[in-house]
Amino acid sequence: MNDRIIDEERQIIAPETLSTEYVNADSCAFHKSDKGFLAAEINGEKYDRVVLLRALPLTFPDEYICITDVERKELGIIEKISDFSPEQQELINDELSKRYFSPVITEIKSVKEKFGNFYFDVMLGDIKRNFTVKDLTKNIRYHGEGFDLIDVDGNRYRIIDYNGIPAKSRRKLEPYLY
């Protein structure tokens, strides 16, 4: 039996492998395993370790969460994290935060542009951080009231609420927002 999703000769995805099952709080429950990994019971089937991945991490970070086993076989998709109990949401969010680390900018100390590179000196809470963004127009992702800045190393820095950061910080950034 051939369980391959991709036909190696033709490089196409077999249609019978493209089934998606949405899960909810009635059909899926999470817990920590004895070894500290996220485990789950999905439709009565127990999994000692599962991996959570955001299907649309920028536009819908709390929706469409893919659950896979350690071999990356899809087990189901959570449509909305908010459909789960607060305890289950905490387990889900803890697991996702390990994979999707996006520090939140609380203050912008300075922004300097040199040859198309933007050098940021920011505060992440009490931590001072410097990073470089190449071509700001291509490496800024807007979401709601804020945006993400993606640095030259692929790290993502978030401004959750642009109007919520100090006015002095906004003035330093405004000349560079097109």
Side-chain angles (χ1 to χ4, degrees):
M1 182 169 125
N2 188 352
D3 289 330
R4 292 187 190 158
I5 292 175
I6 298 176
D7 180 331
E8 305 255 349
E9 292 177 21
R10 295 183 295 175
Q11 294 293 309
I12 60 170
I13 298 174
E16 63 273 8
T17 65
L18 296 174
S19 63
T20 300
E21 180 181 347
Y22 286 95
V23 298
N24 57 39
D26 295 331
S27 61
C28 178
F30 296 98
H31 64 277
K32 287 288 186 181
S33 71
D34 295 337
K35 295 180 181 178
F37 296 115
L38 185 66
E41 184 173 330
I42 303 170
N43 294 321
E45 182 113 10
K46 294 183 182 189
Y47 300 91
D48 293 330
R49 186 172 181 189
V50 295
V51 177
L52 302 180
L53 304 163
R54 288 184 168 114
L56 301 165
L58 297 178
T59 46
F60 298 106
D62 296 329
E63 298 176 24
Y64 308 107
I65 309 300
C66 183
I67 308 167
T68 71
D69 62 14
V70 291
E71 284 86 33
R72 299 295 194 254
K73 178 183 175 222
E74 186 178 298
L75 305 173
I77 294 180
I78 297 170
E79 190 169 1
K80 293 180 184 176
I81 294 173
S82 61
D83 291 341
F84 287 78
S85 72
E87 296 82 14
Q88 291 287 291
Q89 288 180 42
E90 185 176 347
L91 288 169
I92 293 167
N93 286 322
D94 284 349
E95 188 68 19
L96 288 170
S97 70
K98 293 174 187 172
R99 179 171 300 280
Y100 298 96
F101 177 67
S102 299
V104 176
I105 297 171
T106 55
E107 184 181 352
I108 298 170
K109 295 289 191 183
S110 70
V111 180
K112 295 177 183 150
E113 191 265 336
K114 207 182 246 187
F115 303 112
N117 289 323
F118 294 83
Y119 299 90
F120 285 82
D121 182 10
V122 302
M123 295 299 292
L124 309 171
D126 294 334
I127 300 168
K128 187 175 181 178
R129 183 69 180 237
N130 299 312
F131 62 92
T132 305
V133 176
K134 186 174 182 75
D135 192 357
L136 193 58
T137 59
K138 292 182 181 175
N139 289 297
I140 188 168
R141 305 286 190 275
Y142 293 95
H143 54 79
E145 301 298 318
F147 51 86
D148 293 347
L149 298 167
I150 303 166
D151 75 3
V152 294
D153 297 318
N155 300 312
R156 186 177 311 273
Y157 296 87
R158 301 200 96 182
I159 294 178
I160 302 293
D161 180 6
Y162 181 67
N163 293 316
I165 63 174
K168 189 174 179 181
S169 293
R170 288 194 309 270
R171 283 193 298 275
K172 291 176 181 166
L173 186 58
E174 282 172 352
Y176 305 108
L177 297 177
Y178 310 115

